[in-house]
């Protein structure tokens, strides 16, 4: 073996250097591994066989000894950055914006996540992905569950939403994928290494969802001084109502508990009406964007085996004779005409129809993908049936899409709920639940604006 260009120091000097370097490990404020710099020098240096070296008589190859990197300035880990806190080494004293009560709440949230919502600690909890999905859903219900008016969100609820969502989303900082890269050494040579980057679906969708979240909060914050107000229980008007008017709503009696907006008899001013329409259009676009992300994430989640086993053997038995006759007609197919013939009047009926159509769609897709190796005539017959199954599956998908467009507030179908329940991918669980709650919030804002515009139109007709 050739003599290396750089040699190791004497044994005592090496021990002294090791003690001085490794003494820093008692500090609790070291930056995370992702913040440490890679060694940039002495990469190819080896220990020599000089007298006194501990490797002079070893029969094994001499391994390269890398110099410890210089310590970088102390930086808090990404999670502590999100919380606005820092740690001091030694005493472990926490400082920052978060109060003791907030830190205690954060401890409680993450303890429930680690336990899988099983407070007994016996290991019978749900998976991590389901626990995080439930945590985001429950947080949305806590913060926005009573948000039925066009008004700014209370400061404490807004702070809770920001703080706890930052904690839950911090998991995505460590969901990465490897990719080949090149590193340039000090002597000018290059070598191939495996570097990390955020997973592609998280890198694309998470910043978009955070932007949609900020836009929805901006819309709510803009409703500070309005020309409309709300009455309680459809009859008791607030004390702030300057001009009494009869509350009007187009929701119907199925949602009688929601507050009803009121406007003065002349109606809203033209500028206020135009501003409301612009905010409605913006919230509607946010709703469509969140729905598109949610549908894309759900499509990537694999179908659970339990759902496949529960599928009927025949798609016609799932959708019924009426829907099957319309879908199997060889001519031009119109999903809007089919839904008009069904005369679906409630979300419950729409959800039931969506479940039946979605189950039939997967039955036809499964039959179309099956391969057969039998006699030539059987092969031709199977090919004809496969083409028919492909057509039926495509039409069922069109019906399902049209049904969701007619009922934008439709609940999760059986397949979607099954995917969320049995999903094991944490990144997909975060993206799905985050997009789902933003979709719900945007839909609620659009509905509330529609209520105000409906009340304004009724007030202008009275005059």
């Amino acid at each position: 073996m050739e003599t290396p260009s750089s040699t190791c120091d004497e044994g005592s000097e090496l021990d002294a250097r090791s003690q001085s370097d490794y003494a820093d490990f008692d500090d609790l404020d070291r930056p995370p591994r992702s913040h440490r710099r890679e060694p940039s020098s002495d990469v190819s240096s080896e220990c020599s066989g000089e007298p006194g070296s501990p490797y002079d008589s070893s029969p094994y190859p001499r391994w390269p000894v890398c110099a410890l990197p210089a310590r970088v300035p102390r930086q808090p880990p990404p999670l502590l950055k999100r919380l606005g806190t820092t740690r001091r080494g030694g005493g472990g004293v926490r400082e920052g914006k978060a109060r003791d009560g907030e830190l205690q709440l954060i401890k409680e949230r993450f303890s429930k996540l680690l336990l899988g919502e099983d407070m007994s600690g016996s290991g019978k909890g749900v998976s991590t992905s389901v626990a995080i999905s439930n945590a985001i859903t429950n947080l949305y219900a806590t913060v926005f569950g009573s948000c039925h008016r066009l008004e700014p969100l209370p400061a404490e609820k807004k702070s809770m939403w920001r703080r706890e969502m930052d904690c839950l989303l911090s998991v995505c900082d460590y969901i990465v994928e490897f990719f080949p890269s090149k590193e340039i050494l000090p002597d000018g040579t290059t070598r191939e290494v495996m570097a990390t980057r955020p997973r592609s679906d998280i890198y694309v969708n998470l910043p978009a969802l955070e932007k949609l979240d900020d836009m929805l909060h901006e819309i709510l914050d803009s409703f500070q001084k309005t020309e409309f107000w709300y009455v309680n229980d459809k009859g008791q008007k607030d004390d702030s109502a300057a001009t009494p008017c009869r509350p009007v709503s187009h929701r119907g009696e199925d949602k009688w508990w929601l507050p009803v907006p009121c406007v003065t008899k002349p109606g809203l001013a033209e500028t206020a009406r135009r501003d409301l329409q612009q905010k409605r259009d913006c919230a509607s676009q946010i709703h469509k964007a969140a729905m598109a992300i949610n549908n894309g994430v759900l499509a990537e989640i694999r179908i659970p085996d339990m759902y496949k086993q529960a599928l009927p053997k025949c798609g016609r038995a799932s959708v019924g004779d009426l829907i099957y006759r319309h879908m199997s007609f060889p001519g031009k197919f119109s999903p809007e005409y089919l839904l008009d013939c069904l005369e679906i009047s409630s979300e419950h009926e729409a959800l039931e129809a969506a479940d039946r159509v979605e189950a039939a769609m997967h039955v036809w897709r499964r039959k179309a993908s099956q391969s057969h190796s039998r006699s030539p005539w059987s092969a031709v017959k199977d090919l004809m049936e496969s083409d028919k199954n492909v057509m039926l599956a495509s039409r069922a998908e069109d019906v399902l899409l049209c049904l969701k467009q007619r009922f934008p507030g439709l609940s999760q179908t059986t397949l979607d709920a099954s995917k969320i329940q049995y999903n094991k991918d944490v990144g997909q669980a975060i993206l799905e639940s985050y997009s789902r709650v933003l979709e719900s919030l945007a839909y609620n804002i659009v509905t509330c604006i529609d209520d105000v515009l409906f009340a304004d139109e009724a007030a202008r007709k009275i005059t």
Side-chain angles (χ1 to χ4, degrees):
M1 182 181 294
E2 297 180 2
T3 303
S5 58
S6 61
T7 61
C8 291
D9 297 333
E10 298 295 332
S12 59
E13 191 174 4
L14 180 63
D15 295 338
R17 177 185 178 187
S18 301
Q19 293 176 2
S20 62
D21 284 329
Y22 286 100
D24 293 334
F25 277 95
D26 294 333
D27 191 355
L28 297 178
D29 197 20
R30 289 189 60 186
R33 185 169 301 183
S34 58
H35 290 252
R36 302 176 196 167
R37 295 187 298 181
E38 295 294 331
S40 58
S41 60
D42 296 338
V43 174
S44 60
S45 62
E46 297 179 346
C47 293
S48 65
E50 295 181 0
S53 173
Y55 303 99
D56 55 352
S57 60
S58 175
Y60 300 104
R62 295 163 183 162
W63 297 98
V65 177
C66 302
L68 291 176
R71 293 183 61 83
V72 297
R74 296 178 179 177
Q75 300 177 1
L79 177 58
L80 296 182
K81 283 183 178 180
R82 292 177 180 268
L83 299 179
T85 61
T86 56
R87 291 177 182 261
R88 271 194 206 163
V93 181
R94 293 184 174 91
E95 298 177 349
K97 300 179 181 179
R99 300 186 300 270
D100 293 340
E102 295 175 349
L103 290 177
Q104 190 65 27
L105 180 61
I106 292 170
K107 288 181 181 179
E108 179 184 354
R109 299 291 187 186
F110 272 96
S111 297
K112 290 182 178 179
L113 291 178
L114 293 175
L115 292 172
E117 302 177 358
D118 176 25
M119 300 300 105
S120 65
S122 58
K124 297 180 180 179
V126 297
S127 61
T128 305
S129 58
V130 177
I132 292 183
S133 178
N134 292 341
I136 295 177
T137 305
N138 295 335
L139 177 62
Y140 170 78
T142 302
V143 176
F144 298 99
S146 59
C147 182
H148 302 302
R149 304 187 181 199
L150 296 176
E151 59 186 7
L153 199 66
E156 59 274 9
K157 287 192 174 182
K158 183 185 296 185
S159 176
M160 177 190 295
W161 174 260
R162 298 295 188 190
R163 180 181 64 250
E164 298 194 22
M165 279 302 299
D166 283 344
C167 293
L168 295 172
L169 296 180
S170 64
V171 181
C172 295
D173 295 339
Y174 303 95
I175 300 178
V176 296
E177 61 185 5
F178 290 93
F179 71 99
S181 180
K182 292 184 179 180
E183 182 181 10
I184 302 178
L185 300 179
D187 58 357
T189 60
T190 61
R191 65 176 179 180
E192 293 186 356
V193 296
M194 294 299 293
T196 59
R197 61 187 176 192
R199 209 172 68 181
S200 57
D201 58 340
I202 296 177
Y203 181 78
V204 172
N205 293 322
L206 186 58
L209 291 174
E210 291 178 335
K211 181 63 177 177
L212 297 179
D213 191 356
D214 294 337
M215 294 173 66
L216 290 176
H217 279 83
E218 290 177 1
I219 293 176
L220 289 177
D221 292 339
S222 64
F223 293 104
Q224 294 184 0
K225 295 181 180 180
T226 59
E227 299 182 8
F228 56 89
W229 65 93
Y230 288 88
V231 296
N232 300 322
D233 297 333
K234 284 192 172 183
Q236 301 175 1
K237 66 184 182 63
D238 295 340
D239 297 336
S240 60
T243 305
C245 70
R246 181 175 179 270
V248 180
S249 176
H250 67 287
R251 291 179 182 267
E253 297 297 330
D254 55 340
K255 297 183 179 180
W256 54 268
W257 65 89
L258 297 178
V260 181
C262 285
V263 297
T264 56
K265 288 183 179 180
L268 299 174
E270 186 64 28
T271 55
R273 189 182 303 111
R274 190 184 309 113
D275 183 63
L276 268 178
Q277 188 63 43
Q278 291 177 354
K279 292 175 182 177
R280 186 200 182 280
D281 295 340
C282 181
S284 179
Q285 293 298 323
I286 294 174
H287 176 262
K288 292 179 181 179
M291 182 186 295
I293 295 176
N294 186 263
N295 291 336
V297 174
L298 284 174
E300 293 295 328
I301 301 177
R302 62 180 297 272
I303 302 176
D305 294 335
M306 295 185 63
Y307 181 83
K308 294 180 180 179
Q309 296 173 1
L311 287 175
K313 296 182 178 180
C314 179
R316 181 172 185 173
S318 177
V319 297
D321 294 336
L322 176 61
I323 299 179
Y324 182 80
R325 283 198 302 268
H326 282 82
M327 296 179 64
S328 60
F329 187 73
K332 185 178 180 181
F333 175 72
S334 174
E336 292 83 3
Y337 177 75
L338 174 58
L339 295 181
D340 292 338
C341 295
L342 295 178
E343 297 180 355
I344 299 176
S345 57
S346 64
E347 291 186 359
H348 177 73
E349 295 178 356
L351 182 60
E352 183 181 358
D355 284 334
R356 292 190 284 111
V357 171
E358 193 169 36
M361 177 182 67
H362 287 285
V363 170
W364 289 322
R365 284 181 177 177
R366 182 176 59 184
K367 289 184 177 181
S369 61
Q370 290 176 349
S371 59
H372 302 275
S373 57
R374 289 181 291 182
S375 61
W377 169 243
S378 298
V380 174
K381 183 179 179 181
D382 291 340
L383 181 60
M384 296 173 60
E385 292 181 354
S386 176
D387 292 340
K388 183 179 180 180
N389 290 327
V390 170
M391 179 194 70
L392 291 174
S394 177
R395 292 183 174 182
E397 186 176 6
D398 295 339
V399 173
L400 188 62
L401 179 61
C402 184
L403 196 60
K404 291 182 178 180
Q405 290 176 351
R406 286 198 177 189
F407 297 89
L410 196 65
S411 303
Q412 297 171 351
T413 62
T414 303
L415 176 59
D416 294 342
S418 179
K419 284 184 175 182
I420 295 172
Q421 180 180 359
Y422 296 100
N423 175 42
K424 301 297 182 181
D425 192 299
V426 177
Q428 290 178 342
I430 293 176
L431 295 177
E432 189 281 327
S433 56
Y434 195 15
S435 60
R436 173 162 39 86
V437 298
L438 292 183
E439 177 185 342
S440 178
L441 178 58
Y443 177 74
N444 290 340
I445 293 177
V446 171
T447 304
C448 291
I449 295 179
D450 286 339
D451 290 343
V452 176
L453 294 176
F454 184 81
D456 172 64
E457 184 179 356
R460 285 189 286 113
K461 286 182 179 180
I462 294 176
T463 59

